[in-house]
Structures are given as C-alpha cells and as structure tokens.
Amino acid sequence: MTGPQGEPVFLHLGPPPEEPGQFVVEGAPESYPPDVKARLEVDAKEIIGRYPNGRSALLPLLHLVQSEDSYLTPAGLEFCGEQLGLTGAEVAAVASFYTMYRRGPTGDYLVGVCTNTLCAVMGGDAIFESLKEHLGIDNDQTTEDGKVTLQHVECNAACDYAPVVMVNWEFFDNQTPDSARELVDGLRSGKPPRPTRGAELCPFRQTERILAGFPDQRPDDGQGGAGAATLAGLRVAQERDMQAPPTGDGE
C-alpha cells in the first residue's frame, strides 16, 4: 500500500506483539497425574450435572481447572474437552474470549486496577503506575514471592466508587496510590485487609473454586448489597417524587 503522498505504508498482520499466546507457558502441565484427574473428575461430574446440556458447563469447568493450576494450562483445557466431548479448538475458543481466564501463573492475590475512563480520570492510571514501581513488576506479572499478580483491567463495574481496585474480584473502593500500596503490602505480609464490600479475601485458587460453583465457606456478615453512592440517584428521585415517563402502551 502507499500513503497519500505515495510513500510506502507497511501493515503488520496478525495479533499485536504484546498479545499473550494461546495458553503456551513453559513448564505448564500437558496432562494431569491419575490422582489429580480422578479428583477433578468427581468435581466435574457434579458441575456438569447442574446443566441439561452438558457443554453449558464449560465456563465453570474452566474455573475448576484454574483453581488447580492458577491459570489455564494444556492439561486443564484437555480435561475440560474430555469431560464435555469438545475439541481443543472449541475449548480454547471459549477460554480465550473471557479475561477472567488466566494465560499464565497467578499469585495468591490477583490485583486488578481499573484504568477505564472514570477510574482513570479519578486517578486509576496513577495508582497502576505506583503499584508497578512499588512491586517492581509490570502488567500481568507476579512478585517473586508469588503473592501478588498485577493487572490493569478495563472496568470493574463500580464507577460510582472510582478509582477502584479489585483483589480476587473483591472490591476496594475510592483508592489512592498510598492506600493501594498499603493494600498490596498487607497482601504480601499475610494480613490481607478487609474489602470495602463483600466477604473477606481468600487465595486466588479458592476464589476460582467458588466461581466454579462450589460452596463459599466465608461468613456473610452483611458486607454485600448496594452502597450509598450506588443509591444516591434513587434517593434524590424519591425526595423529589420523580417518576419514569409513561410508555406509549399505557403500562
């Protein structure tokens, strides 16, 4: 191709250089030992039994094998395919679509810093840069002690509490660079702080097992539910007796 002035234009074809490979990590298990496979098959049978169509169980099965390895390995992908009668290509196509499925080893705590629009405006980018320097790692890397994996995420779906950091999918709201550094220091010291909302933190692999659909043993002490910032608009609407406009069909 040539540009508007006739100069050559070179187009790079294929995935961007920074895009991770298709679950190819040196040293990743290619298959599970018999005892591990037998244990996982018991769990897989329970998961698959919840669905009228077995292949619908693929997403929780991926979380199950991720709870075993901390990321999706060739062994995990092969296991899921065997349980559901799917090809490797079918399993990988689904697994590579969702960002919650990891392509490399993950630490005890996956720290996700939102760098999408509102969080970025409120300081998310500064938090992410601060944590990279403080931990000595870059995006999608893990500290040498295996405690923290740092990741920037596009949205934590909590814009009313921006900037937000999530640890193993639990919320830490209204963060600053200082508070975020204190947060990861607590994770590494073995004294993880309590999330702003939600249950107390548990290690990443345990979180994955919960996401696979197994019981969450953590006590529910009322940390969940919508907070004041989320309900602010509803409160104002009630104070001003605001109503939604009627629809055309009279409903």
Side-chain angles (χ1 to χ4, degrees):
M1 294 181 62
T2 58
Q5 305 302 322
E7 72 277 10
V9 176
F10 298 95
L11 298 179
H12 176 81
L13 301 179
E18 68 275 9
E19 184 171 322
Q22 284 287 356
F23 311 104
V24 179
V25 176
E26 183 178 355
E30 297 289 334
S31 60
Y32 289 129
D35 60 327
V36 174
K37 186 173 182 180
R39 171 169 51 79
L40 291 174
E41 283 176 344
V42 173
D43 290 337
K45 183 177 180 180
E46 179 179 340
I47 292 172
I48 296 170
R50 301 170 186 158
Y51 298 88
N53 185 332
R55 67 184 296 152
S56 299
L58 178 55
L59 295 182
L61 279 185
L62 290 170
H63 283 296
L64 174 66
V65 295
Q66 191 157 262
S67 75
E68 182 69 27
D69 299 317
S70 85
Y71 66 111
L72 295 185
T73 65
L77 297 178
E78 178 184 52
F79 176 84
C80 292
E82 288 176 349
Q83 301 307 304
L84 300 175
L86 300 175
T87 67
E90 289 174 314
V91 176
V94 173
S96 61
F97 182 81
Y98 296 99
T99 57
M100 287 181 75
Y101 298 120
R102 305 280 302 153
R103 300 193 190 191
T106 306
D108 292 338
Y109 299 101
L110 177 62
V111 176
V113 182
C114 183
T115 56
N116 211 336
T117 307
L118 187 54
C119 278
V121 170
M122 299 295 289
D125 287 330
I127 290 172
F128 187 59
E129 292 302 319
S130 177
L131 288 183
K132 287 198 297 182
E133 179 181 0
H134 186 64
L135 296 171
I137 56 177
D138 209 328
N139 181 52
D140 247 353
Q141 294 181 351
T142 302
T143 53
E144 290 185 1
D145 59 9
K147 292 292 186 180
V148 172
T149 297
L150 181 64
Q151 182 183 44
H152 80 79
V153 295
E154 285 302 312
C155 184
N156 280 328
C159 301
D160 39 358
Y161 295 97
V164 172
V165 174
M166 291 192 84
V167 179
N168 294 351
W169 317 120
E170 300 289 357
F171 287 103
F172 288 83
D173 302 326
N174 304 121
Q175 292 293 294
T176 66
D178 288 341
S179 67
R181 288 193 296 269
E182 292 177 3
L183 167 59
V184 296
D185 286 347
L187 300 177
R188 301 183 74 184
S189 71
K191 299 178 181 178
R194 184 68 187 246
T196 310
R197 294 172 284 147
E200 63 185 19
L201 290 176
C202 60
F204 180 76
R205 296 185 193 219
Q206 183 180 342
T207 301
E208 285 301 300
R209 187 168 175 82
I210 294 170
L211 291 174
F214 292 98
D216 185 351
Q217 303 297 336
R218 298 173 296 176
D220 180 3
D221 54 7
Q223 281 283 98
T230 304
L231 300 176
L234 177 62
R235 177 178 55 79
V236 171
Q238 291 174 335
E239 291 174 352
R240 300 184 180 184
D241 195 26
M242 300 169 66
Q243 304 290 331
T247 60
D249 56 10
E251 294 183 358

